[in-house]
Structure formats: structure tokens, C-alpha cells
């Protein structure tokens, strides 16, 4: 589903769909009242027949309409809200991520991945000169020495591929993510070494790794902003690829039919880290351009 260009038209359509569902629910209520009346006026067979008709009406008409409305409302909120900075935005209710994505992104040491990753509410498009995908996901992660030790790590995953490379290879991981970074992760197999900090606060918040043992000051400052909402975050910058996983953070919500739909509700940002994430991506791209100019 592509993001509509005019939010006013989409808002009107959602309101019309909600009104139609209200008419269907009113019709069902009238039919239920009729059942009560028939209990005292006709034989029980007629009552059973009407109850069967109400059940079919509910299962085949009302429920699909409600489910479709909720799905469309969620899609619009995601595309206009959390993904509002993404141009040419496309939404998918279900998408695919490799089950070993966290290992590919150099967040965890090599291990077994027992089941496929779950990927929902996926949006993709462009941000400045980067191709971006964002989704809610859940990974089954093996830990420890026993084959039965499995935990699920869920949250918001963002990946971007930039047109210009940075020449950097860095991983920064929040401390105290259960079974991931309670102690310093073992990432030496990726050619990484523990990195030194020039900002003391950054060293208290994260474990950091790079190929040369250094982290640029601007990157440390951005990581501090990313965790400013109290979240646990994993970040990897590998030349032209940027990967970020925000643990236990989600941007899509479930809805009740009696909720008011407005332009404000459609554009509301439900991901507290959104601004810092896209600021980081913008700064990374700016630094990539500056570095290329220095080389020339």
C-alpha cells in the first residue's frame, strides 16, 4: 500500500468506512431486538433461523469490515506518523527479515537461529539519499550452552542503505539488554575490537566496537540522543549500511471502534526515538559527503 498524497481525502474515507460499520452494527442490534420479540410471538424454529442469519451477518460482513477498517487505520497512522519522514513510502502488513539479521548486523556473536523472524507493519522508501526500511519484528535468539536456551527479542528494526559510503565500521550496543549485553558482547570474530570513548557518558551507556578501536565524537553524541528516551538500542554503521534495533519499542497500536479519527491522530508519532533516528541518518550522510570531499 502506497501512502496517499492527500491526508484529507484519506481521513474522509476512513470516517465514511467507520460510519458504514456503525450502520452495520445498528442493523445487527435491531435484528437482536427482533429475536427477543419473536421469542414471545412465533415458534422457536423462526427464532433459530433468525439467530443463524445474525451469526452469518456478523461473521461474513461485520467482522471483515471491522478488521479491514482497523488494518487501514493502522497503515495510515504508520505511514503518516512514525514513517512520516520517509518519502515514496510503501506499507506492508507483513514482510520478511532473515532470522539471523542480528548476527549479520554484528550485534551478537554467531549462534543458532531456531525459527524465522516475525516482521510486521513494514514501511520502506527514501530518506535523503538512503533507501530505508522500518518494521516491528521479533527474533528467536539462542544463548548459553544449552540447546533449549532461547529468548525472544522484539522491537523496532530500521535499516538504511546510503548512496555514499562512510568508510566506518562501528557497532554500539546499549548495556544490560538481557542475554545480549549484560557483559561485553564477543564481536572479535567480525574483525572488531573494543572501542575507546572520548565522552564519558557514552561509555556508561553502551558497549562499542570498531575496526580501529575508535568511535567518532559525533557518533557518540548521536548515540546518547538515541537512548535519551530510556530505550535500549543496538546500532551498526558499516560503510554505506546503517542498521538500528530499538528493543521493546513499537509504533503500531490496536484500536477500538469508538476512537476518534482526526488528522492529529493519523500524524501522531508513536515512536519516541524517531527524531533522533532520522537525525542520526542525516548526520551520517552529511559526514559521508564531507569525508569524500576531504579525500579529493
Amino acid at each position: 500500500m502506497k501512502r496517499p498524497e492527500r491526508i484529507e481525502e484519506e481521513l474522509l474515507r476512513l470516517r465514511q468506512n467507520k460510519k458504514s460499520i456503525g450502520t452495520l452494527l445498528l442493523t445487527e442490534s435491531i435484528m437482536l431486538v427482533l429475536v427477543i420479540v419473536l421469542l414471545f410471538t412465533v415458534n422457536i424454529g423462526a427464532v433459530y433461523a433468525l439467530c443463524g442469519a445474525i451469526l452469518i451477518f456478523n461473521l461474513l460482513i461485520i467482522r471483515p469490515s471491522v478488521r479491514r477498517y482497523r488494518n487501514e487505520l493502522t497503515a495510515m497512522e504508520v505511514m503518516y506518523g512514525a514513517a512520516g519522514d520517509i518519502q515514496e513510502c510503501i506499507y506492508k502488513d507483513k514482510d520478511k527479515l532473515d532470522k539471523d539479521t542480528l548476527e549479520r548486523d554484528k550485534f551478537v556473536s554467531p549462534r543458532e537461529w531456531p525459527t524465522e523472524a516475525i516482521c510486521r507493519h513494514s514501511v520502506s522508501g527514501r530518506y535523503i539519499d538512503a533507501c530505508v526500511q522500518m518494521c516491528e519484528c521479533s527474533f528467536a535468539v539462542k544463548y548459553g550452552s544449552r540447546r533449549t536456551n532461547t529468548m525472544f527479542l522484539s522491537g523496532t528494526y530500521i535499516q538504511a542503505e546510503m548512496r555514499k559510503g562512510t568508510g566506518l565500521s562501528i557497532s554500539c550496543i546499549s548495556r544490560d539488554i538481557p542475554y545480549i549485553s549484560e557483559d561485553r558482547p564477543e564481536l572479535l570474530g567480525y574483525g572488531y575490537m573494543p572501542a575507546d570513548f572520548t565522552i564519558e557518558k557514552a561509555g556508561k551507556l553502551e558497549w562499542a566496537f570498531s575496526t580501529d578501536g575508535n568511535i567518532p565524537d559525533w557518533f557518540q553524541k548521536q548515540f546518547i540522543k538515541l537512548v535519551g528516551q530510556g530505550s535500549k538500542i543496538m546500532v551498526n554503521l558499516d560503510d554505506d549500511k546503517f542498521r538500528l534495533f530499538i528493543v521493546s519499542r513499537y509504533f503500531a497500536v490496536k484500536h477500538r471502534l469508538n476512537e476518534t479519527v482526526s488528522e492529529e491522530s493519523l500524524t501522531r508519532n508513536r515512536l519516541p526515538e524517531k527524531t533522533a533516528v532520522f537525525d542520526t541518518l542525516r548526520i551520517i550522510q552529511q559526514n559521508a559527503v564531507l569525508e569524500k570531499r576531504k579525500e579529493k
Side-chain angles (χ1 to χ4, degrees):
M1 179 189 301
K2 190 173 181 179
R3 180 169 60 206
E5 293 183 2
R6 294 180 59 83
I7 189 173
E8 296 84 1
E9 295 176 0
E10 191 60 31
L11 184 59
L12 177 61
R13 188 179 68 84
L14 287 169
R15 286 173 173 168
Q16 290 173 340
N17 290 345
K18 183 180 179 181
K19 186 177 180 180
S20 298
I21 292 172
T23 301
L24 293 175
L25 293 173
L26 178 61
T27 301
E28 184 182 43
S29 298
I30 294 172
M31 294 171 71
L32 290 171
V33 171
L34 186 58
V35 167
I36 297 175
V37 174
L38 292 178
L39 280 172
F40 301 98
T41 58
V42 297
N43 62 66
I44 195 68
V47 175
Y48 285 153
L50 183 55
C51 287
I54 294 173
L55 180 62
I56 293 173
F57 182 67
N58 184 281
L59 293 177
L60 299 184
I61 298 179
I62 293 180
R63 290 194 179 185
S65 297
V66 172
R67 182 167 56 250
R68 184 165 53 251
Y69 168 76
R70 285 174 171 164
N71 290 342
E72 290 175 353
L73 177 57
T74 298
M76 292 303 110
E77 285 184 344
V78 169
M79 287 191 287
Y80 285 115
D85 296 281
I86 298 176
Q87 291 85 45
E88 301 175 11
C89 183
I90 296 175
Y91 171 89
K92 294 181 182 179
D93 177 53
K94 295 181 181 180
D95 208 346
K96 184 177 180 181
L97 276 178
D98 294 335
K99 61 183 180 181
D100 62 345
T101 293
L102 299 183
E103 180 178 328
R104 179 204 67 186
D105 294 345
K106 305 173 184 177
F107 292 140
V108 297
S109 58
R111 62 191 66 200
E112 294 182 42
W113 303 89
T115 60
E116 295 299 322
I118 297 171
C119 180
R120 295 289 307 275
H121 306 301
S122 173
V123 285
S124 58
R126 290 187 307 103
Y127 180 74
I128 309 180
D129 286 331
C131 295
V132 180
Q133 181 193 10
M134 177 170 67
C135 67
E136 293 183 353
C137 59
S138 182
F139 301 97
V141 183
K142 284 280 189 180
Y143 67 94
S145 57
R146 295 170 53 184
R147 296 181 63 84
T148 56
N149 288 347
T150 304
M151 56 89 67
F152 287 89
L153 197 61
S154 304
T156 292
Y157 179 79
I158 301 171
Q159 57 181 341
E161 187 165 340
M162 297 170 286
R163 192 173 66 178
K164 298 181 181 295
T166 64
L168 298 172
S169 188
I170 298 169
S171 276
C172 292
I173 304 171
S174 293
R175 294 179 182 241
D176 300 324
I177 299 175
Y179 306 110
I180 299 295
S181 62
E182 292 166 323
D183 298 314
R184 186 188 295 274
E186 177 55 67
L187 303 182
L188 299 180
Y190 302 120
Y192 280 170
M193 63 179 68
D196 297 325
F197 295 99
T198 56
I199 301 175
E200 183 179 357
K201 185 177 180 180
K204 294 179 179 179
L205 294 172
E206 62 185 302
W207 301 108
F209 304 85
S210 68
T211 52
D212 61 2
N214 296 306
I215 305 291
D217 286 358
W218 61 266
F219 197 88
Q220 295 180 45
K221 292 176 181 177
Q222 284 306 120
F223 191 91
I224 292 172
K225 291 180 181 179
L226 286 170
V227 299
Q229 301 290 334
S231 51
K232 300 292 185 180
I233 294 181
M234 307 179 189
V235 179
N236 177 264
L237 175 60
D238 192 3
D239 196 26
D240 62 342
K241 296 177 178 60
F242 177 67
R243 308 283 191 256
L244 185 143
F245 185 65
I246 312 173
V247 180
S248 300
R249 279 282 201 263
Y250 311 96
F251 51 81
V253 296
K254 295 182 179 180
H255 297 282
R256 298 189 299 271
L257 282 176
N258 61 355
E259 293 178 351
T260 301
V261 181
S262 64
E263 185 171 341
E264 181 183 0
S265 68
L266 288 186
T267 57
R268 184 179 304 145
N269 173 36
R270 293 173 172 83
L271 186 66
E273 296 80 9
K274 168 190 169 180
T275 301
V277 168
F278 284 100
D279 278 350
T280 300
L281 182 53
R282 174 180 54 81
I283 291 171
I284 289 172
Q285 293 183 84
Q286 289 175 348
N287 276 275
V289 173
L290 291 174
E291 290 300 322
K292 292 299 181 182
R293 288 176 179 174
K294 288 179 182 179
E295 291 176 5
K296 291 180 181 180

